[in-house]
Amino acid sequence: AEDIFQRLVFGPTSETVDDGEAATIAYGASHQAITVVDDGKALDISRRLYPALRLAHSIDIFAHSAVEKELGPAGVSEVLFDVLISARMRVLPHHWEWVKR
């Protein structure tokens, strides 16, 4: 995965991501793993360079039925509020309706 990592961190700013996102993408691409990426630029670059990479967003995890079953609706709301405020997690347009409910 080192070559993928290096491709993602070395080069023009418009074509690179930070090292944490690069490591995540490199691992996912080299292990055919679902890769959770929240940064819009990292998502765009990943889709373009690694079209076979299965990408997910943190909201996809929170929206999973197993998470709601474990935490309950109030627990999911609390965790979601915390990550939106504390971690300033970005919500992609296709997740807006789920977050608003």
Side-chain angles (χ1 to χ4, degrees):
E2 186 176 342
D3 57 330
I4 296 171
F5 177 82
Q6 289 182 3
R7 161 64 187 89
L8 293 168
V9 295
F10 298 119
T13 304
S14 63
E15 294 296 316
T16 58
V17 297
D18 75 28
D19 58 350
E21 290 156 338
T24 300
I25 295 164
Y27 181 89
S30 64
H31 290 87
Q32 293 78 46
I34 297 172
T35 305
V36 180
V37 177
D38 292 335
D39 181 76
K41 180 180 172 185
L43 286 166
D44 292 342
I45 290 171
S46 297
R47 287 183 186 118
R48 187 168 34 80
L49 296 178
Y50 309 103
L53 181 62
R54 297 180 338 186
L55 293 166
H57 186 273
S58 293
I59 296 283
D60 296 320
I61 296 169
F62 299 128
H64 194 278
S65 61
V67 173
E68 187 168 345
K69 181 179 177 185
E70 185 67 29
L71 298 179
V76 172
S77 292
E78 184 177 333
V79 169
L80 186 59
F81 180 80
D82 286 346
V83 298
L84 289 170
I85 299 302
S86 301
R88 297 186 316 250
M89 184 179 72
R90 181 175 167 214
V91 178
L92 299 174
H94 66 275
H95 290 121
W96 288 349
E97 287 303 315
W98 182 85
V99 169
K100 288 191 308 186
R101 70 172 185 100

